[in-house]
Amino acid sequence: MPSQFRQRLKNKEQLWGTMVTLPTPSTAEILADAGFDWLFIDAEHGPLQTADVLGILQAVSHRVACIVRVPACDEVEIKRVLDLGAHGIIVPQVNSPEMAADVVRFARYAPEGSRGVGLARAHGYGFRFEEYVKEANEQISVIVQAEHRDAVENIEQIAAVPGVDAVLVGPYDLSASYHKMGQIDDPEVMDAIDRVTECCQAAGLPLGHFGVTAEAVRPYVEKGYTLIVAGVDVLFLGGGARRILGQLQGEA
């Protein structure tokens, strides 16, 4: 159940997810029914706006946990997606412990943080307000991304920030920060990922990784990563279409 996602994450249970980028609720609904543990709703890249995220959350309707990647470490963006009913947030480019502390503060109600209080979908439009506010700090997952060389340099301090539930490695942006765009297997990039791995595991912090295929993430599963994102909705659609077309052309 989505309400148990944060505890499962902290327990380092294996959590299989996939990425949603299309502003079509039906796409997310189909992926939710496919059996994934969670959906990575990407509001950083691509066309997803607030109304699109709302439609996706309504369509999935608590079948699985929906964790929304916000565009940046921004108080308004974090508050907005949590008020829509997201089960957690992923924040990109968290490169310092100060930024990590801000993320936690924006996502938590007082006294643990400074999240604004309002009436929205997450609160049952007011009819479950007391229940939600009481439980939100315990149930909302806070995940930060290590995807820049500055984050790698500061990873020990980032991993030590109270309230950070997991670190998700972003290999493509990380490679770009080393001026090796897309070269995710480059030795320097791999060394950076190894440093993140070692520091987070030493701190007992769960680790996540994204890959476009199962083969891409399998080495990280073997290293102990438990928050896994494999595949993207647009690649599923395009790959399936090309496969069918190839089969038809082969039969012609």
Side-chain angles (χ1 to χ4, degrees), residues 15-246:
L15 296 168
W16 307 111
T18 195
M19 187 177 289
V20 176
T21 67
L22 293 170
T24 48
S26 295
T27 301
E29 192 174 22
I30 291 166
L31 293 175
D33 283 335
F36 290 102
D37 296 298
W38 66 291
L39 297 181
F40 181 130
I41 312 300
D42 188 12
E44 180 192 12
H45 299 291
L48 294 187
Q49 301 296 316
T50 301
D52 301 317
V53 174
L54 173 60
I56 287 168
L57 294 173
Q58 290 173 324
V60 173
S61 188
H62 303 293
R63 287 179 177 86
V64 298
C66 289
I67 313 299
V68 178
R69 177 161 68 180
V70 295
C73 178
D74 180 86
E75 184 172 10
V76 173
E77 295 287 354
I78 290 172
K79 174 175 59 179
R80 180 177 289 133
V81 300
L82 292 180
D83 283 353
L84 291 179
H87 304 103
I89 53 169
I90 297 169
V91 181
Q93 298 287 341
V94 176
N95 298 331
S96 70
E98 292 79 15
M99 288 182 67
D102 281 343
V103 171
V104 175
R105 180 165 57 86
F106 298 155
R108 299 276 183 253
Y109 287 123
E112 296 174 39
S114 60
R115 178 180 169 187
V117 181
L119 298 180
R121 179 177 179 269
H123 315 83
Y125 300 101
F127 293 98
R128 290 188 294 104
F129 177 80
E130 291 185 8
E131 175 187 354
Y132 179 81
V133 170
K134 180 180 179 181
E135 297 176 351
N137 283 0
E138 290 300 318
Q139 293 189 355
I140 296 298
S141 300
V142 175
I143 300 160
V144 301
Q145 284 201 262
E147 52 180 353
H148 192 277
R149 62 190 307 161
D150 291 345
V152 175
E153 292 175 7
N154 295 318
I155 193 61
E156 288 184 77
Q157 296 93 332
I158 292 170
V161 172
V164 171
D165 295 319
V167 170
L168 180 71
V169 176
Y172 291 94
D173 279 347
L174 184 60
S175 69
S177 75
Y178 285 96
H179 307 294
K180 297 178 178 180
M181 177 77 73
Q183 300 176 47
I184 60 175
D185 295 324
D186 179 87
E188 188 176 20
V189 177
M190 294 297 295
D191 285 346
I193 294 174
D194 286 344
R195 172 169 163 74
V196 173
T197 303
E198 292 167 5
C199 290
C200 289
Q201 289 180 338
L205 196 64
L207 280 156
H209 201 276
F210 165 77
V212 295
T213 65
E215 290 74 18
V217 298
R218 188 166 288 117
Y220 295 93
V221 175
E222 294 171 355
K223 292 180 181 179
Y225 283 56
T226 54
L227 185 69
I228 299 300
V229 194
V232 185
D233 52 8
V234 292
L235 295 181
F236 293 143
L237 179 61
R242 286 168 171 79
R243 189 160 49 250
I244 285 288
L245 179 58

